[in-house]
Structures are given as C-alpha cells and as structure tokens.
C-alpha cells in the first residue's frame, strides 16, 4: 500500500504541446516531495509525459481541450491522475508490446510509447466516466519492480 498525502495537488492546462513542460514540472515536484530516487522519478515522469502527449496529439488532434493532472505524494510514492474529455481511449488496449526479433522497420506504428509508459509504473488503471478519460498511475518509492507484468 502506498502512503500518500491526503490533499491532492492539481494542475489544469490547455491540451497543447507547450503545456507538456508544465505537466512534467508538476510531476517532478510531486516526485521530489515523495523523495523518489532518480529512477522512480524518471519512470513516473516518462509515463505521464507519454500519456499527456498522446492526449494532445491523438486525443484532441490539435483542437481545443484541457488536461487536468492531479497528484498525491508521500513517503510511499506518487499517484498521478490524468483526466481529459477527448474521445474515449483506454491506454491498455492501445499498448503494443514489442515483438522480439522483429526489425523496427517491420513493426506496426503506434502503441510502443504507451507500452513503455505502462510498464514503467507500478500500478495503472483507466476508466471512462462522465465523458472523461481518467488514467491513474502510481510509482512506489522503493523496493519496486520497474517493469511489472501486465494483466
């Protein structure tokens, strides 16, 4: 069980490439607050950045939209929730694990970044509620497997 602060921090930004830096800075502040080591901080930042980039580029497709990022951190780790109103998209279903031995030029385009993001966190969940995509990611502070098996 990850021990986290009771009051979440929140950030709402326009769904633009320019806002991705604000999201990364927000996540890194939470990681610092949880005293995550560099590896764990990198993993949560990588995962959130990949999902947020996909929301901007593929969810809203350059149109108007907002991304809300909420986070909690504590001695046990960091939990981040990303919400948007783009069309429904379950990252787990869009996750394409790499095919061993298949040269990059023969691989299907898309999904690999999501695979890297989801396998870099300790816990991941997705739900669609009230017209919103809601993804929740958790990285534990220590003693974790950086690439947990996918269900």
């Amino acid at each position: 069980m990850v021990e986290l602060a009771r009051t979440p921090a929140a950030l709402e930004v326009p769904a633009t490439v320019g806002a991705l830096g604000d999201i990364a800075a927000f996540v890194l502040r939470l990681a610092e607050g949880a005293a995550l080591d560099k590896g764990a901080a990198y993993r949560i930042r990588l995962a959130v950045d990949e999902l947020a980039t996909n929301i901007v580029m593929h969810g809203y497709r350059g149109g108007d939209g907002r991304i809300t990022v909420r986070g909690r951190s504590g001695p046990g780790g960091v939990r981040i929730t990303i919400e948007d109103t783009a069309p429904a998209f379950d990252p787990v279903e869009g996750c394409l694990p790499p095919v061993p031995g298949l040269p990059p030029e023969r691989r299907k385009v898309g999904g690999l970044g999501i695979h890297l993001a989801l396998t870099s966190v300790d816990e991941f969940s997705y739900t669609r509620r009230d017209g919103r995509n809601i993804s929740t990611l958790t990285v534990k502070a220590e003693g974790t497997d950086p690439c947990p098996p996918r269900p």
Side-chain angles (χ1 to χ4, degrees):
M1 177 68 96
V2 176
E3 184 180 330
L4 302 170
R6 290 186 188 167
T7 306
L11 172 71
E12 185 175 334
V13 295
T16 63
V17 171
L20 296 174
D22 294 336
I23 294 172
F26 176 79
V27 170
L28 290 174
R29 279 193 304 277
L30 287 167
E32 185 177 291
L36 293 185
D37 64 30
K38 286 183 182 183
Y42 175 78
R43 292 189 293 119
I44 190 74
R45 187 193 140 304
L46 168 74
V48 171
D49 186 62
E50 179 62 31
L51 292 178
T53 299
N54 280 338
I55 292 166
V56 170
M57 304 302 288
H58 306 293
Y60 290 115
R61 299 183 185 267
D64 289 337
R66 308 283 299 166
I67 299 173
T68 302
V69 184
R70 298 181 206 297
R72 292 177 186 256
S73 64
V78 174
R79 179 168 296 131
I80 304 284
T81 301
I82 305 167
E83 297 183 27
D84 65 82
T85 57
F89 177 74
D90 181 348
V92 173
E93 296 199 8
C95 180
L96 297 175
V99 178
L102 189 65
E105 64 273 6
R106 294 193 49 223
R107 292 181 186 157
K108 184 177 177 182
V109 175
L112 186 57
I114 292 173
H115 170 76
L116 293 172
L118 300 187
T119 57
S120 72
V121 298
D122 297 305
E123 297 172 11
F124 177 82
S125 68
Y126 167 83
T127 189
R128 177 83 177 176
R129 187 171 50 238
D130 299 327
R132 299 180 70 78
N133 294 299
I134 305 169
S135 295
T136 303
L137 309 88
T138 302
V139 169
K140 298 175 186 174
E142 58 183 53
T144 62
D145 178 355
C147 293
R150 297 302 308 151

